Amino acid sequence: MKKILIVDDSETIRQQLAAALERAGFDVVEAIDGIEGLEQAQEHQFDLAILDVNMPRLNGLEMLERLKLDPKFTKLPVLMLTTEAQQSMIERAKKAGARGWMIKPVKMDLLVGTVSKLVG
Amino acid sequence: MPDTSSALDTIIQSSTVDLFHSCGIALAPLPRKRDAEQIPRYELTGTISFSGRGFTGTLTLSVPQAAFSLIRQDPHRPFRDWDWVRELTNQLLGRIKNRLTQFQVSFNAGLPSVMSSEVFDRQRNRAEPVAVYRFRTLRGEIIVTLNGTIDPAVFVYSGTGNLATEGDIILF
């Protein structure tokens, strides 16, 4: 079973994403911010990570940049999920190695389709 | 060139209506007021700060408890009302920010939080909101307030917005 990491400080969003992904047959692990996300990433073997951007302690872009510094995560597909559509932020995520940028609220069938495609 | 005040009103009202529509809740905008006298007291108020050149302050979103029953959600994993309001406040400011791109207004958003009705009252007594927007639902009114400094001079209509909008997925 493919394992997905969801990092978002909103329990509502984590629940929505987890429910949709679990229904589609994925195993889901949740984290509430970038710090916890990095810890979970070290603890499990993930096939894909979904990161919120605006979070306390360590935001999603910072988490992505730290994650991609570790050669272990170079090939891990990361999708950013946020309310932001600012071009400079999208460019920063792309440069740091993200595979995609999703703007909330995202349609769950579209999200599941994208995740399925990226984890192969 | 569109009038700044009415453009901002339109952006806030349409952003709120669209956001609640995405949760399965229909909203009807009510005539806008510039004073806070008639704002009902709600237990659930989300707040988020924003800071940019000529556009600095806070946005609040108040939702009556009864409206919570209108949300489309998974009955096996119900949302916590306070977290839902906090996240909606975050998404509302995000929508407003994205729509303000066409006026070349940019700002940084803070982290959303939820405040009690007592804190909301104290904040309201300290400073009058710049604008109060009211929306009718089947279960009471939803209130959005804008507080802070909005300088009309920073609004320069360019007609070009962001490449992406809500619900989009951009793959690299």
Side-chain angles (χ1 to χ4, degrees):
Chain A
M1 193 183 276
K2 302 281 185 186
K3 195 177 261 189
I4 313 293
L5 171 63
I6 297 172
V7 188
D8 200 307
D9 59 328
S10 166
E11 188 186 15
T12 304
I13 296 294
R14 292 198 310 271
Q15 279 184 2
Q16 282 179 330
L17 298 179
L21 290 168
E22 283 168 1
R23 268 198 302 272
F26 294 101
D27 185 12
V28 172
V29 173
E30 300 175 23
I32 61 167
D33 59 33
I35 300 281
E36 200 181 296
L38 286 174
E39 289 166 1
Q40 294 286 7
Q42 293 293 346
E43 210 170 296
H44 301 266
Q45 186 81 36
F46 289 107
D47 297 287
L48 183 140
I50 298 172
L51 314 183
D52 179 26
V53 171
N54 198 14
M55 293 186 290
R57 298 213 293 168
L58 187 71
N59 73 43
L61 284 171
E62 291 164 339
M63 180 188 160
L64 169 72
E65 285 163 350
R66 285 202 202 176
L67 198 66
K68 291 293 182 181
L69 284 178
D70 187 335
K72 204 162 63 176
F73 301 113
T74 313
K75 288 187 176 164
L76 176 72
V78 177
L79 290 170
M80 308 305 292
L81 176 64
T82 177
T83 61
E84 301 272 354
Q86 213 175 307
Q87 199 56 34
S88 59
M89 293 179 91
I90 298 174
E91 286 300 326
R92 184 176 160 192
K94 188 178 174 183
K95 197 176 160 198
R99 291 293 309 278
W101 188 272
M102 308 185 285
I103 302 165
K104 291 177 183 176
V106 105
K107 287 192 177 74
M108 289 304 149
D109 52 348
L110 195 57
L111 171 93
V112 169
T114 305
V115 168
S116 303
K117 187 176 153 189
L118 289 176
V119 300
Chain B
M1 192 173 88
D3 166 56
T4 301
S5 174
S6 63
L8 186 60
D9 290 349
T10 304
I11 285 171
I12 292 177
Q13 288 179 325
S14 63
S15 298
T16 310
V17 169
D18 290 350
L19 176 64
F20 278 83
H21 178 73
S22 74
C23 308
I25 300 178
L27 295 192
L30 295 168
R32 199 174 60 78
K33 295 192 172 187
R34 289 215 176 260
D35 66 81
E37 285 301 307
Q38 305 297 319
I39 302 179
R41 284 175 102 243
Y42 292 147
E43 288 307 312
L44 289 172
T45 294
T47 180
I48 188 166
S49 63
F50 51 88
S51 172
R53 190 176 63 87
F55 200 86
T56 298
T58 55
L59 176 89
T60 70
L61 171 66
S62 302
V63 182
Q65 193 73 43
F68 193 66
S69 63
L70 299 170
I71 320 167
R72 195 172 44 213
Q73 61 178 317
D74 184 345
H76 304 294
R77 301 176 87 146
F79 305 146
R80 287 178 206 256
D81 49 9
W82 63 269
D83 187 70
W84 179 75
V85 171
R86 193 178 72 98
E87 176 57 25
L88 275 195
T89 308
N90 181 40
Q91 290 192 22
L92 178 58
L93 187 67
R95 281 176 188 257
I96 293 167
K97 182 177 181 177
N98 294 338
R99 283 160 172 73
L100 281 172
T101 306
Q102 62 185 311
F103 290 96
Q104 300 183 56
V105 175
S106 68
F107 55 82
N108 292 317
L111 288 168
S113 61
V114 170
M115 57 185 171
S116 66
S117 51
E118 289 78 20
V119 174
F120 183 60
D121 281 346
R122 274 204 299 278
Q123 205 175 75
R124 193 167 69 180
N125 292 334
R126 271 205 301 273
E128 280 285 299
V130 175
V132 178
Y133 303 89
R134 307 173 69 154
F135 304 85
R136 184 176 294 136
T137 74
L138 291 173
R139 302 269 192 283
E141 284 181 19
I142 280 164
I143 313 286
V144 174
T145 71
L146 197 60
N147 311 268
T149 309
I150 314 292
D151 177 6
V154 299
F155 285 65
V156 180
Y157 184 69
S158 67
T160 52
N162 283 319
L163 293 174
T165 56
E166 297 85 22
D168 284 353
I169 296 182
I170 305 165
L171 289 179
F172 306 138

